[in-house]
Amino acid sequence: MAVTMNDVARAAGVSLKTVSNVLNDYEFIRPATKQRVQDAIAELGYEANLTARSLRSGKTRMLGLVLSDLSAPYYAELASRLMKAAAQRGYRVLVEQSDAVADVELNALQGPFRQLTDGLLFTPLIIDAEAIAARLGKKPLVMLGEHILDPRFDLVTMKNEEAAAALTAHLLAAGRRRVAVIGARPEESTGSPGLRLNGYRKALEQAGVPFDPALIAPCEWRRDNGAAAVAALLDRGVKFDAVFGLNDVLALGAMHELLIRGVRVPDEVAVAGFDDIDEARFASPSLTTVSPGMEEIAERSIALLLDRIEGQETNSQGVHVEAGFQLKIRESAP
Amino acid sequence: MAVTMNDVARAAGVSLKTVSNVLNDYEFIRPATKQRVQDAIAELGYEANLTARSLRSGKTRMLGLVLSDLSAPYYAELASRLMKAAAQRGYRVLVEQSDAVADVELNALQGPFRQLTDGLLFTPLIIDAEAIAARLGKKPLVMLGEHILDPRFDLVTMKNEEAAAALTAHLLAAGRRRVAVIGARPEESTGSPGLRLNGYRKALEQAGVPFDPALIAPCEWRRDNGAAAVAALLDRGVKFDAVFGLNDVLALGAMHELLIRGVRVPDEVAVAGFDDIDEARFASPSLTTVSPGMEEIAERSIALLLDRIEGQETNSQGVHVEAGFQLKIRESAP
DNA sequence: CCCATCTTCTGCAACGATGTATGCCAGGAA
DNA sequence: TTCCTGGCATACATCGTTGCAGAAGATGGG
């Protein structure tokens, strides 16, 4: 049996409640008493029972993080940073992988997962704003990413459109005229794919380069899809002098396929991505991409969520945070 | 306020305990009673309070996973798989990043983290078997990786030595004679670095190739270290015709540095890694490496841990599981 | 010197579930 | 009829903590 507050109280010769008061930094305790309690705690090796504390207080000091797949490098890096930011403020992060399955996303909002956490960092990929609003409990929820743009929700995001435009502009400035886009979802205008595609189109327009739908390759955001999409373009005989992978793994998959087929990067085809995962710097050739301020996203989303949880932030409208971005010009698209 | 078992009991016209009995599949309940309770549960939208259940039962249905850094691709993929395997059996995984800091590893063994979980999957990097044994509570602990090989502990591992030997043999069979090793920790003979280096040495011996300490480059297991280590070798004028990165990110970092400097891979220098992370297949050139059976490691470590937790496995000695491996011969070292 | 206020500490109830012990009823055995 | 057994439901205590209310002693102003 573990040591309880009762044991400590007995050892220190005070009431159980006084022990509780010492632990919770209650103001009015004589230094001598406090010392005796602390000595007893140290001597017995007492550790507070978090489960009991949670039951009583209704707080778990855990944050939920819902994302599609932790093994995707961008999410892995984000999760790692979020966990560190949370740990600094005394919280833990419990991760749930949705695999982009609607049911899992829905259950994360109201099921046991929600119960275990004081607040949620949510990256919805499938379900829409109404589904979320309908299941919105009393616990704070901060959205990550840009599938949902709704004034009701708190949101921490990146400058997708601007960044994609800047990256595309860079490709065009280098003389590229036919920039293929890998990973688009043309039917959606929101979400990272939609916004990044918008940025791309705006940059084209700005430069007076016509938009060619043949250059747009829709696919899921995985490495092998990036490779397959480029293969399909080549096989179809589509001509292009640059590839914009809507995220880094797509771009890297695409680059791999190009190199396999003897297409020189960047001489014949430039390649650019989005996310600046660690791998991008060390790819061969190294990958030109957008660094979306992940550090800032992690810090600010934790800060916002904790402000909500601890009642600092009371704006009933959603707070929207946009992190800054940086172009990382590397060998694949100088 | 959330719906409690009491509310359900009232609605169904039974006692609170009967509701509990229905939820826990108690044998002797009249079908009619059971039905009434279930209807009430459905109607009120009752959900069991996991915190209360944990307090009463002493179980959390969470597993702890301690690793150094979730953003490392190997760990990210492993964590993802472990979480899926756990989810299938009704458990969640709570991750703790140790950053290879001794205090964090120690606290994971006995602090609040331990309390929150029913069992631990532990990848110790710093602390030794005695430190672990001294802090071993009653809750099950399964070690992952091979820093610790101790008959007292359960352990799920990969065939480091054999696999490294097989990989090295492959390089030698292709005619390579000076194989540099990146990421060794020559002072340690246990742990992944030590075992993999052993395998390397055995393969050399087997082939009658002399061991040259000048080819051994110690460093931390990060991409940039792999690049730096190769840079240092080249700058020192050390001659080599192959590089064995003790894990994939090291090999990829090394390969990047080689290519930057105009060294052709694999023509001049072959490169091989260890782990077979997703990225290895799509690197350019694609990376020859060892697939250490991560799927199997994930499945079996969860199975073993849950057997311990649920009392199926009662062997008081540690159970040791070794997953199989597969050589993945790709372009970087055909 | 008395009452009000402040400081310090205490006891009780409650958070929401489960384990143990037990009660009650029906049916079969004695 | 009486006793026993098995099926079914219940009451109470309990897990370890914190909120609330209040008691007892110290302090201070008039």
Side-chain angles (χ1 to χ4, degrees), chain A residues 186-197:
Chain A
E187 71 284 6
E188 296 173 25
S189 66
T190 69
S192 312
L195 295 171
R196 292 176 193 174
L197 186 60

Side-chain angles (χ1 to χ4, degrees), chain B residues 39-182:
Chain B
D39 290 349
I41 287 176
E43 188 178 351
L44 299 177
Y46 167 78
E47 282 195 333
N49 180 318
L50 300 182
T51 308
R53 184 174 280 175
S54 290
L55 175 60
R56 187 62 242 230
S57 68
K59 302 277 175 190
T60 62
R61 294 190 82 80
M62 289 210 285
L63 309 177
L65 171 62
V66 184
L67 41 73
S68 63
D69 182 2
L70 192 56
S71 66
Y74 175 76
Y75 285 130
E77 291 181 22
L78 180 62
S80 172
R81 282 203 157 88
L82 287 170
M83 289 172 61
K84 285 177 190 169
Q88 277 182 348
R89 292 147 156 274
Y91 281 76
R92 291 173 200 287
V93 175
L94 187 61
V95 179
E96 175 94 337
Q97 299 188 95
S98 73
D99 272 323
V101 170
D103 271 358
V104 182
E105 290 192 350
L106 291 174
N107 287 331
L109 282 174
Q110 40 177 24
F113 184 73
R114 199 70 200 277
Q115 227 187 78
L116 288 169
T117 54
D118 293 342
L120 216 55
L121 295 165
F122 192 35
T123 311
L125 287 178
I126 304 290
I127 62 178
D128 61 19
E130 289 319 312
I132 295 174
R135 263 155 268 254
L136 208 53
K138 268 149 307 195
K139 289 187 185 175
L141 170 71
V142 169
M143 310 282 242
L144 290 181
E146 33 290 307
H147 180 66
I148 309 263
L149 288 166
D150 192 300
R152 287 172 291 181
F153 305 127
D154 287 338
L155 174 65
V156 177
T157 182
M158 52 180 82
K159 303 198 180 194
N160 279 287
E161 203 170 304
E162 267 185 63
L167 186 65
T168 308
H170 167 74
L171 295 172
L172 297 172
R176 312 287 171 171
R177 279 300 169 270
R178 297 189 48 79
V179 181
V181 176
I182 310 285

Side-chain angles (χ1 to χ4, degrees), chain B residues 19 25-26 31 35 37 39 43 80 82 84-85 94 131 174 179 191 206 224 226 229 236 239 258 265 272 296 310 321:
Chain B
V19 180
D25 287 320
Y26 179 64
Q35 191 57 53
V37 171
D39 290 349
E43 188 178 351
S80 172
L82 287 170
K84 285 177 190 169
L94 187 61
V179 181
Q206 186 88 31
D224 49 350
R236 241 185 288 135
K239 298 285 173 216
L258 290 170
V265 176
E296 189 182 352
E310 290 163 3
V321 173

